[in-house]
Amino acid sequence: MVELLEIPFVQNALIGGVILAVLLSVLSLFIYLKNWSFINVGISHAAFGGLAVGFYLGLSPTVFGIIFAVATGLLIGYISRKGDIHEDISIGILFSMSMAFGVIVITLSPNYNTDLFTFLFGNILTISKGDIILLSGFSVFALGFIAAFFNKIMYCCYNEEVAYVSGINTPFYYYSLITIIAIATVLSVKLVGVILASAMMILPAAMANQIFWHYRKMLVFSVFFSILMVVAGIFISFQYDLPSGATIVLLYSALFSISVLIKKLIGKAG
């Protein structure tokens, strides 16, 4: 274990993984409360259109991916709020459209290379110091915003109509939360891929809810649980020569399944 910690890319993976674990597990709470389990998958695929445009123009695909992701997220929210369509329906429509647009742009792009596809299936072991700096900066901003307005955001998540009547600017917090989730999704997918990013956004709060009902305890446990899974997954994958991302996801899934089973057994015993 000590020898592994001396390897630079393992150090970067651990640092980046822990930062992602904290950020995504915090967002996981709001995703769980709002039933947005499909939103990060939809946004990550919708960002594909932006990535394709970036490659086509020879500019930063990450920047265009974020622009597409934020635009898609805001449009999902607008359609859901104004069109009386559930988020999952609007997500399915928009990410299919964006993916189709991306495929067409790819076929026309003289700058096409395989990085466009590897972006969607990233590897946590390829995290660089530059990625860590970018991720750290965004995490500080996102977590700072959430901390500053935590009670109002929670109020909106539990009952948006009552929050609005109480004088809270619910559209602002609704769209702000979607924007943060959209950017976090693109950054995390670029670093760890769709599968691991989805697990890190959905499973922490889902598992915490099997053990705790109070949201503060859920939040603390989600962060702790997520950090533990990332660190353990990286070391186990090296020990047994396994893919790090897949190993972490399996650990998440296994412990979630165990927590559900324990809760049912306790419920039957009671």
Side-chain angles (χ1 to χ4, degrees), residues 219-239:
L219 185 60
V220 172
F221 181 80
S222 294
V223 173
F224 172 78
F225 164 65
S226 197
I227 292 175
L228 180 62
M229 292 302 95
V230 169
V231 174
I234 290 175
F235 282 112
I236 291 174
S237 66
F238 267 88
Q239 182 70 29

Side-chain angles (χ1 to χ4, degrees), residues 52-53 55-58 105-113:
V53 170
F55 275 109
Y56 180 80
L57 297 176
V105 173
I106 289 172
T107 62
L108 302 175
S109 176
N111 301 314
Y112 165 72
N113 62 56

Side-chain angles (χ1 to χ4, degrees), residues 231-252:
V231 174
I234 290 175
F235 282 112
I236 291 174
S237 66
F238 267 88
Q239 182 70 29
Y240 296 100
D241 194 22
L242 300 171
S244 296
T247 302
I248 295 170
V249 172
L250 286 179
L251 286 177
Y252 269 111

Side-chain angles (χ1 to χ4, degrees), residues 4 25 51 97 100 116 125 154 199 205 207 212-213 218 221 226 231 236 240 266-267:
L4 280 180
S25 57
L51 302 178
M97 181 179 67
L116 187 56
L125 298 180
M154 287 296 296
M207 179 175 175
F212 304 104
W213 63 269
M218 284 178 60
F221 181 80
S226 197
V231 174
I236 291 174
Y240 296 100
I266 293 176

Side-chain angles (χ1 to χ4, degrees), residues 66-158:
I66 289 175
I67 292 173
F68 259 62
V70 171
T72 300
L74 294 177
L75 191 54
I76 288 169
Y78 181 81
I79 292 175
S80 301
R81 292 170 68 89
K82 304 297 183 180
D84 294 326
I85 301 175
H86 194 270
E87 282 92 350
D88 284 354
I89 303 298
S90 55
I91 289 168
I93 294 170
L94 290 172
F95 99 65
S96 299
M97 181 179 67
S98 184
M99 283 287 288
F101 173 74
V103 171
I104 291 175
V105 173
I106 289 172
T107 62
L108 302 175
S109 176
N111 301 314
Y112 165 72
N113 62 56
T114 55
D115 288 342
L116 187 56
F117 287 101
T118 56
F119 186 101
L120 292 178
F121 303 95
N123 187 338
I124 193 171
L125 298 180
T126 63
I127 294 178
S128 66
K129 292 190 180 297
D131 293 327
I132 292 175
I133 293 173
L134 176 62
L135 183 60
S136 299
F138 175 72
S139 297
V140 169
F141 166 77
L143 296 176
F145 178 87
I146 291 172
F149 303 105
F150 184 79
N151 290 333
K152 293 182 179 179
I153 295 174
M154 287 296 296
Y155 202 172
C156 293
C157 288
Y158 275 113

